[in-house]
Amino acid sequence: MKRFLLAWLCAALLAASGSGGATPPPLAEPHTQAEIEKLFLSVPDPKIAEEDLRVLTSAPHIAGSPEDKKTAEFVAQKFREAGLQTEIVEYKVWMNYPAEISMDVVAPPGVKMHGPRPERVSSDPYQDDPRIVVPYCGMSPSGDVEAEVIYANYGRLEDFKRLQQMNIDVRGKIVMVRYGTNYRGVKAYLAQQFGAAGLLIYSDPLEDGYFKGEPYPKGPWRPATGVQRGSIAYTFNLPGDPTTPGIVSVPGLPLSQRTPPQRADMPKVPTTPLSWADAEPILKHMAGLESPRDWQGALPFTYHLGPGPVRVRMHLKQDYAYRAIWDVIGRVPGSVYPDEWVLAGNHHDAWVYGAVDPGSGTVAMLEAVRGLGRMLKAGWRPKRTIIFGSWDAEEHGLMGSTEWAEQHAAELDRAVAYVNMDSAVSGANFGASAVPSLKQFLRDVAKAVPSPKGGTLYQAWRVAGEIPSQPDVPDSGRMPVVQLNNDAPVGDLGSGSDYTPFLQHLGIPSTDMASSGSYGVYHSAFDDFTWFKRFADPDFAYEQEMARVFGLAVVRLADSDVLPYDDENYGKEIAAYLRTAQDRAEKMFGKPPSFAAALEAAERFARAGAAISRVQPKDAAEVAAVNRALREAERALLLPNGLPGRPWFRHAIYAPGRYTGYAAAVIPGVNEAIDAGDLQATEQQLAALTAALNHAANILERQR
Ligand SMILES: [Zn+2]
């Protein structure tokens, strides 16, 4: 039996050595963790990554389309080839395609614009495919609106308030805003609250075009006709299918069990995206006050606020239906702790070709899966069960991941971590986000991964000091990173990708990672194989790197007997969030509520985390007890009643900000109560947070 296994190992190693580099030495029996990792790292192959991306980007594959289903089948086939137990899971979700989308300038006379004009550049081999979806906003309502236009900068809360201070009333008007600094769904949410009749969101060349550098096809930046499609779903209140809050959108779910769409929490203001080529004639002919200077973009004239005299007619006819979507789930049973699950995933639906978003992540995941397959053939068995998810309909509102997480909510109590990728490669700068308990773990994984720049990924990451942006949202504003040392920076998790249901609904510690660059084709037809090969990763060396770091994180989470959580750091970072909030509360209230109990609870959690990390379990029972405590302490950070006004979001430490969308709102209950100037709610939220932290500390202390 042993000899047989050894033969397998040698064969596997010989096969693995085919991908370049020195032949790894044969594995001794029993093989060490170092040997296992060496075998894994030898597998991801730039050539195969390139072939896979070519297949994945061969056709537009929006969620629910026949091409999207083919993409799911391709991923499932790769999972099966690697030896994963694989299934395709179908859901039926409420979502829209565009039926008729147009906007026309109807006044003043002489100004003409009929959009959206097709996305065209001087040369791109993919731009004429009739399957390219007309630029539109996922989850926008239909509507016919004709009104004067008002310019509202980024459409942030402070921008709408500033218009109010200048006595410019957006009620009944079409509001025009530029992309950047916040999630487009927050722009739509605020436009609705301030009474706008319509919303146009355009890409200004200042943050997304020629001001950044040479536009495509000469350079990587957004060309004049490039449009950023995207969802405006209110995912900061409720991600997933908006007609099934908290329940699963299984096929055949009776309509009587769904919230009727007109009563669901969905955007109410007709909203659509524009290129700057289509936005220019509107902005250029606006009158009224000169815009504040920091509202000026990079188009070659002075921006004015309006209203008018430009009037626009928006005609949006959305084709809404319950549509089938397909998640792909691949499983490797654990050999020692089969009831503990390591989750990893990324989505497979794309607005158009999706070379970066999400193809680059799918490719890296598939190469990681192939690495695991090679190890399985060599006789390796992960100690914990590993589950890979290739999610659908992320772009419309995190639908595939949310529905799956809701379906398995009870069993997911056994999940120990979720490792996410999305737009995994658009350049050479590595960045990552994670809960504080996994930040050091990620740095340690990066120390074992070679960088295409030479040395290790960790060294390159630390030198660049790149503060991570949300991978799915270039130019959405960088999050402040609470960092208690000058090590490689790891950001906090906001919302904008598929970790949301796992972390923010179920309390599963999560991470997200990407290698980013000059990504000027986000959600446009030009995010295609040609752009990727020229500007993102010509040699697929960063795809190889991402496959290695993502896969190695999964392998280590699956195989380390004691879970690699650092709750000492978690407690310290929470204490830092609290001190910042305390300063804000003093400014807001003058005499703020006491933060002493919450701070003491955070510090107690940190001390308990330090103590449990020193425990050396003597036997399997003790390992199990320590791991149970570590897992339960993470779950203890869930608030029993969720966050005020959005009970689906239960995490006490992280939620998407309702006024920022993607950026992480830390200790969101407390911070949002301070923002609202509500002293009583601040006190209540501090008490709830204190209770959660003491509960978590208590669980850890019992294991000392
Ligand atoms: Zn994405």
Side-chain angles (χ1 to χ4, degrees):
M1 178 61 201
K2 241 184 187 169
R3 183 163 302 218
F4 178 70
L5 184 62
L6 205 59
W8 267 111
L9 287 172
C10 291
L13 281 164
L14 280 173
S17 68
S19 60
T23 306
L27 291 185
E29 181 63 31
H31 35 262
T32 64
Q33 192 65 25
E35 287 160 336
I36 288 167
E37 293 189 358
K38 195 166 182 184
L39 172 58
F40 171 74
L41 292 171
S42 73
V43 177
D45 182 335
K47 292 249 153 33
I48 296 177
E50 181 167 353
E51 280 167 34
D52 284 355
L53 192 68
R54 207 182 274 281
V55 173
L56 285 165
T57 56
S58 60
H61 50 287
I62 193 168
S65 66
E67 294 81 6
D68 175 49
K69 188 168 193 199
K70 273 200 192 121
T71 304
E73 283 161 358
F74 176 79
V75 170
Q77 180 59 29
K78 293 275 175 180
F79 279 9
R80 283 190 201 103
E81 282 168 16
L84 276 52
Q85 300 168 2
T86 303
E87 57 177 339
I88 293 182
V89 186
E90 184 176 304
Y91 301 102
K92 279 235 162 119
V93 297
W94 184 246
M95 54 183 261
N96 63 322
Y97 294 152
E100 293 166 21
I101 303 286
S102 69
M103 48 262 183
D104 290 271
V105 172
V106 295
V111 180
K112 289 277 169 275
M113 191 280 281
H114 175 68
R117 274 178 277 179
E119 296 181 280
R120 282 285 181 288
V121 292
S122 57
S123 72
D124 178 276
Y126 299 95
Q127 62 186 350
D128 295 316
D129 194 306
R131 293 171 295 185
I132 293 173
V133 71
V134 169
Y136 80 113
C137 279
M139 311 315 275
S140 166
S142 296
D144 281 287
V145 183
E146 188 190 310
E148 286 180 318
V149 177
I150 289 174
Y151 176 59
N153 197 28
Y154 295 112
R156 299 169 300 183
L157 180 60
E158 58 262 46
D159 298 330
F160 281 99
K161 282 187 172 164
R162 194 147 174 196
L163 285 173
Q164 271 182 336
Q165 284 159 9
M166 292 185 281
N167 291 317
I168 296 175
D169 188 352
V170 304
R171 280 178 296 177
K173 301 289 197 287
I174 290 177
V175 171
M176 175 127 170
V177 299
R178 52 176 161 163
Y179 272 115
T181 77
N182 60 2
Y183 164 51
R184 68 183 86 68
V186 169
K187 300 175 198 282
Y189 187 57
L190 291 167
Q192 180 178 326
Q193 287 182 348
F194 282 83
L199 179 65
L200 299 171
I201 313 177
Y202 79 101
S203 303
D204 197 288
L206 182 70
E207 41 271 308
D208 195 7
Y210 57 72
F211 197 81
K212 302 277 268 190
E214 201 67 78
Y216 185 64
K218 258 185 150 177
W221 294 102
R222 191 175 300 272
T225 59
V227 187
Q228 183 191 134
R229 294 160 186 75
S231 177
I232 55 168
Y234 292 167
T235 49
F236 41 83
N237 286 337
L238 183 81
D241 182 345
T243 70
T244 59
I247 61 168
V248 189
S249 299
V250 287
L253 182 72
L255 278 181
S256 60
Q257 290 186 35
R258 290 181 180 262
T259 308
Q262 58 276 16
R263 291 218 319 269
D265 187 10
M266 289 174 62
K268 301 289 184 283
V269 176
T271 300
T272 210
L274 268 73
S275 65
W276 71 254
D278 283 347
E280 185 173 23
I282 301 173
L283 283 170
K284 191 173 177 175
H285 295 95
M286 303 256 301
L289 290 177
E290 194 175 302
S291 72
R293 286 302 75 208
D294 56 342
W295 289 29
Q296 174 75 39
L299 292 171
F301 46 80
T302 303
Y303 291 21
H304 288 257
L305 299 175
V310 183
R311 290 177 72 84
V312 167
R313 183 166 59 228
M314 295 171 67
H315 169 68
L316 307 185
K317 192 171 161 196
Q318 313 285 355
D319 173 15
Y320 270 97
Y322 291 106
R323 294 197 157 90
I325 60 167
W326 306 276
D327 287 352
V328 188
I329 306 296
R331 188 182 299 250
V332 184
S335 58
V336 183
Y337 317 109
D339 290 336
E340 294 180 3
W341 295 356
V342 176
L343 312 173
N346 106 295
H347 70 98
H348 62 73
D349 64 301
W351 282 116
V352 189
Y353 298 100
V356 171
D357 182 8
S360 64
T362 304
V363 160
M365 180 163 84
L366 290 179
E367 276 305 276
V369 164
R370 206 169 59 81
L372 260 59
R374 189 66 62 77
M375 292 156 71
L376 290 169
K377 289 196 184 95
W380 170 78
R381 294 289 174 271
K383 291 180 181 172
R384 294 190 176 82
T385 294
I386 298 173
I387 299 176
F388 287 98
S390 176
W391 316 116
D392 206 348
E394 187 268 359
E395 296 294 4
H396 278 81
L398 316 180
M399 294 200 181
S401 55
T402 299
E403 297 307 316
W404 189 82
E406 287 176 343
Q407 186 165 23
H408 299 278
E411 302 161 274
L412 283 170
D413 198 33
R414 37 181 96 161
V416 302
Y418 174 65
V419 185
N420 191 64
M421 280 190 301
D422 187 338
S423 302
V425 180
S426 59
N429 304 317
F430 183 79
S433 302
V435 290
S437 50
L438 288 175
K439 288 185 177 181
Q440 190 55 41
F441 167 75
L442 274 186
R443 294 188 190 106
D444 291 340
V445 170
K447 286 172 188 167
V449 174
S451 165
K453 298 168 185 166
T456 67
L457 170 58
Y458 172 75
Q459 286 162 338
W461 178 15
R462 190 164 176 190
V463 168
E466 181 82 2
I467 294 175
S469 59
Q470 291 292 333
D472 212 355
V473 211
D475 304 308
S476 68
R478 295 196 180 271
M479 289 182 283
V481 174
V482 171
Q483 178 103 359
L484 304 171
N485 53 39
N486 63 357
D487 209 332
V490 186
D492 294 325
L493 289 163
S495 184
S497 195
D498 290 309
Y499 52 78
T500 283
F502 300 105
L503 174 65
Q504 293 162 344
H505 185 54
L506 298 175
I508 300 164
S510 298
T511 79
D512 193 26
M513 51 180 83
S515 184
S516 309
S518 302
Y519 183 30
V521 293
Y522 172 61
H523 288 186
S524 78
F526 308 118
D527 185 358
D528 61 23
F529 188 82
T530 301
W531 183 93
F532 188 91
K533 180 89 180 142
R534 283 190 59 199
F535 300 112
D537 190 13
D539 305 321
F540 287 74
Y542 291 94
E543 284 288 356
Q544 181 183 43
E545 176 192 86
M546 290 307 296
R548 285 169 166 166
V549 63
F550 175 82
L552 193 61
V554 171
V555 168
R556 286 196 179 173
L557 285 163
D559 274 355
S560 62
D561 285 302
V562 175
L563 292 167
Y565 296 173
D566 177 1
D567 286 336
E568 181 181 11
N569 186 53
Y570 212 150
K572 285 179 174 172
E573 291 206 9
I574 294 167
Y577 301 152
L578 278 164
R579 281 189 285 271
T580 307
Q582 189 174 18
D583 290 346
R584 299 174 64 239
E586 266 161 33
K587 287 196 190 89
M588 175 61 82
F589 301 117
K591 190 174 169 298
S594 171
F595 278 63
L599 276 164
E600 169 47 30
E603 276 151 21
R604 183 182 160 205
F605 179 42
R607 286 193 302 273
I612 202 166
S613 71
R614 288 191 293 268
V615 171
Q616 307 252 333
K618 284 186 293 295
D619 54 31
E622 282 188 25
V623 169
V626 167
N627 285 341
R628 195 179 317 116
L630 288 168
R631 226 168 58 228
E632 284 175 8
E634 293 276 349
R635 300 308 191 275
L637 299 175
L638 294 177
L639 299 166
N641 301 318
L643 290 170
R646 42 176 179 162
W648 189 92
F649 281 94
R650 296 193 294 175
H651 207 273
I653 315 300
Y654 299 105
R658 270 189 290 188
Y659 296 106
T660 54
Y662 288 116
V666 298
I667 51 170
V670 174
N671 274 321
E672 289 195 337
I674 295 170
D675 285 343
D678 188 334
L679 186 62
Q680 199 191 347
T682 306
E683 281 166 350
Q684 283 166 357
Q685 290 301 312
L686 275 169
L689 176 60
T690 305
L693 289 168
N694 278 323
H695 184 197
N698 220 345
I699 291 164
L700 296 181
E701 283 165 2
R702 285 204 301 264
Q703 284 309 313
R704 271 200 295 224

